[in-house]
Amino acid sequence: MALPVPDTSPSPDASDRDVIQSASPLRTLGLARIWRLIWDPAPGRMGYALRMAAGCTTTVLVGEIWQVPDLGVPALVTMALWQKDRVTNALVGVLVNIVVVFLLLLIYGLIKITLDHAMELVIVIALLSFGFFFLGSASKLKPVAYMFGLIIVFGLVVIDQVPVGEVITRAILYTDLFLAVPGAVMIVLGMLICPSPRRILTDDIAARLLMACRLLRGPDDRTREQATDMLRIGTTDMMKSAKMAGLEKIWAAKDLACLRQAASSSVAVLALADEADRTGLSAEDAACLIETLEKMAAIFAAGDYPADIERPTVSTASPAACAMADMLPEFTTPPAESTKAAPPEKKSGFFADDAFSNPEHVRFAVKGTAGVMLSYLAFMVLDWPGIHTCIITCFIVALPTMGEMVSKLTLRISGALVGGAIGIGSIIFVMPHLDGITGFLVLIFVVSLLAAWVKTGDERIAYAGFQIGLAFYLSDLKGFGPTSDMETARDRIIGIMLGNFITYAMFTSFWPATARDRIGEGLRKLAEALKLQSQALTPQARAEAIASSQSALSESERTLEYVMAEPINTRVDLPRLRETKQALDDAGCLSEDLLVTPERADLTNHTARLERLAG
């Protein structure tokens, strides 16, 4: 049937929450849901976490050898920037090492301006904070802008802590090492231990096929929840892997085109399996489909992809089963035009289209800068050097909308408390028994693995993992080797909590950006995606369209979660909220139904409903 191809290369009140849960219990974020996400054994998650922990531990080892001060910062940079595959890791590592040259020149010039001039230092810190927060909001530098701002501002703040005669030399050296060490580790170690992006792509496709098999076998609620989470991801991550695989220049273009098609097809198959679970499927049809899907998954898991897939023989009693069987023969067959040279895509600029017209970008930068300056003021007025982590925290925890701030505040505080407790506990119970670097590195690896496991999970909980790493690294990595300094750990945890509080206060008190303003954009995008899906004529086009619809649906559902996390007086009225939630649930079912019956008579009514709710 399928032959392998040779390798040619804080929440609302209880009554409101019950209303929302009754509409769609699987998509509501609560404590139980968060707990399930933390322990979810998602495909590839453990490997990713192990490699990230190894990268952080290696950074600490190199830092210990070179005696880099405040080693928690480069370890934190490694955790923040570490990627799944070897190509992306190498690219990010190279970029970091290139950028560090410009940062060194900038640091040198700023030191010459601010040395022994307190007012100039305050002005420079404010201007730098504003610039990097603005870039983080309005440019393609968003993933790393905050990290660069953190490094530069942190370097300037720490200048006063070293002898004047050594200021320039130390500041330049330490700033270089803060970024150069993580960059080098990502390049060298990443190339050695990280898999190829093609292998990640084939594993992701296999995971979706196996999840479809679990749905066809008659799933429980937990399996349905995991399948829905996987479905909502769409093909975004898989297409990134395909793009990175193309940069390796060791895989045939035809093979990558087939894998890109398989990525879209795997989402369509998973959606059809969910549809079959909802509408019913005979045991014979389920067994026939499962046999074919498992054989295909085994081939993808081995790094290949199947060709000449025979259509499973299923009855006509289940339209979803028939639609899935019809799609399998074309599972890895790209559309004819994709085998030709694709026309160059129109490249977007460095800045977002509304970078200089949308006042929200400036407001975000102002609020972030105010948080940094308040933290710096507290740091200086209290004359408490140990709480300098409040300044670092402001760059890490800033988020665009009030809903995101509120929903992630618990994750931040929980992560900081867990990481801080581990840090202090290790100082009390573990450090006294360590008499060599080996045991110290084992401790770093174990805690890094815990933080990385949470960070590599669903993005709803990833923040907590990063905060665990932040609190632990900044508590236990003060000097060189094991430490017994409880005061430093205490001060840095206090700094983290203070930074969290200041950032939350600034972003929810001044120009509070509510997530409800983004609902309309998401609903309009979802309505357009559903229209395009109904117009898809070929199996390949339908597979690509369902992936786009699911991604748009996920975006709208996430925005609605943020709205529900906001204070009651900022929410839309509850009847409208209920209707929006129900409309999203109906849209999820409709996107799956369109794979079976593209010409739905009620499609216009559904899309009109979404557009009306969008306002």
Side-chain angles (χ1 to χ4, degrees), residues 394-588:
C394 291
F395 283 99
I396 294 174
V397 303
L399 288 168
T401 67
M402 187 161 48
E404 291 173 272
M405 294 288 295
V406 174
S407 65
K408 293 186 178 179
L409 180 64
T410 302
L411 296 178
R412 292 183 193 139
I413 294 177
S414 300
L417 291 177
V418 170
I422 294 175
I424 293 177
S426 63
I427 291 175
I428 297 175
F429 300 107
V430 179
M431 296 294 191
H433 304 287
L434 299 180
D435 51 6
I437 190 65
T438 302
F440 179 63
L441 292 178
V442 170
L443 172 65
I444 297 297
F445 177 81
V446 170
V447 180
S448 297
L449 180 59
L450 171 63
W453 172 262
V454 179
K455 185 178 181 296
T456 55
D458 189 279
E459 64 180 34
R460 294 175 178 87
I461 62 168
Y463 239 72
F466 189 71
Q467 289 290 322
I468 292 173
L470 171 69
F472 175 75
Y473 292 145
L474 296 183
S475 298
D476 284 33
L477 295 177
K478 176 190 177 183
F480 311 114
T483 181
S484 58
D485 189 353
M486 290 285 295
E487 182 178 341
T488 297
R490 179 205 64 192
D491 292 350
R492 293 189 173 185
I493 292 171
I494 292 174
I496 292 171
M497 301 302 291
L498 178 61
N500 272 307
F501 172 77
I502 290 175
T503 305
Y504 171 78
M506 292 304 305
F507 276 77
T508 56
S509 301
F510 300 95
W511 297 308
T514 173
R516 71 183 181 191
D517 294 338
R518 301 189 175 189
I519 290 181
E521 179 184 354
L523 293 178
R524 284 187 288 269
K525 186 185 298 184
L526 176 57
E528 185 63 27
L530 291 172
K531 292 177 183 177
L532 293 176
Q533 186 181 342
S534 69
Q535 298 167 6
L537 300 177
T538 64
Q540 294 92 336
R542 285 195 288 271
E544 184 176 351
I546 181 68
S548 298
S549 296
Q550 290 293 322
S551 296
L553 180 59
S554 175
E555 180 181 338
S556 294
E557 288 178 337
R558 192 64 53 83
T559 303
L560 191 60
E561 287 180 2
Y562 292 145
V563 173
M564 287 303 300
E566 293 178 350
I568 186 69
N569 62 330
T570 66
R571 292 189 215 148
V572 293
D573 58 289
L574 285 178
R576 185 183 181 89
L577 191 61
R578 296 188 193 103
E579 188 178 1
T580 301
K581 183 62 176 176
Q582 188 59 54
L584 292 178
D585 294 338
D586 294 343

Side-chain angles (χ1 to χ4, degrees), residues 29 56 68 71 75-76 98 150 222 251 368 398 450 545 548 552 557 559:
L29 189 64
C56 295
V68 179
L71 192 51
L76 199 61
I98 292 175
L150 181 159
R222 178 66 178 132
W251 313 110
L450 171 63
S548 298
E557 288 178 337
T559 303

Side-chain angles (χ1 to χ4, degrees), residues 131-139 141-143 145-146 361 364:
F132 280 107
F133 275 113
F134 181 81
L135 289 175
S137 176
S139 76
L141 206 60
K142 184 174 184 177
Y146 308 125
H361 298 304
F364 178 81

Side-chain angles (χ1 to χ4, degrees), residues 264-312:
S264 297
S265 299
S266 67
V267 175
V269 167
L270 182 56
L272 286 169
D274 189 53
E275 170 78 358
D277 175 51
R278 286 193 294 109
T279 59
L281 186 67
S282 68
E284 294 77 11
D285 288 344
C288 184
L289 290 169
I290 289 172
E291 180 183 4
T292 302
L293 293 176
E294 286 182 337
K295 290 180 180 179
M296 293 170 59
I299 295 173
F300 280 111
D304 261 326
Y305 63 91
D308 300 326
I309 304 171
E310 296 180 2
R311 183 187 186 279

Side-chain angles (χ1 to χ4, degrees), residues 579-608:
E579 188 178 1
T580 301
K581 183 62 176 176
Q582 188 59 54
L584 292 178
D585 294 338
D586 294 343
C589 296
L590 178 62
S591 68
E592 297 175 358
D593 294 341
L594 287 174
L595 289 173
V596 181
T597 311
E599 298 180 359
R600 286 283 298 266
D602 59 346
L603 174 63
T604 303
N605 294 334
H606 282 285
T607 55

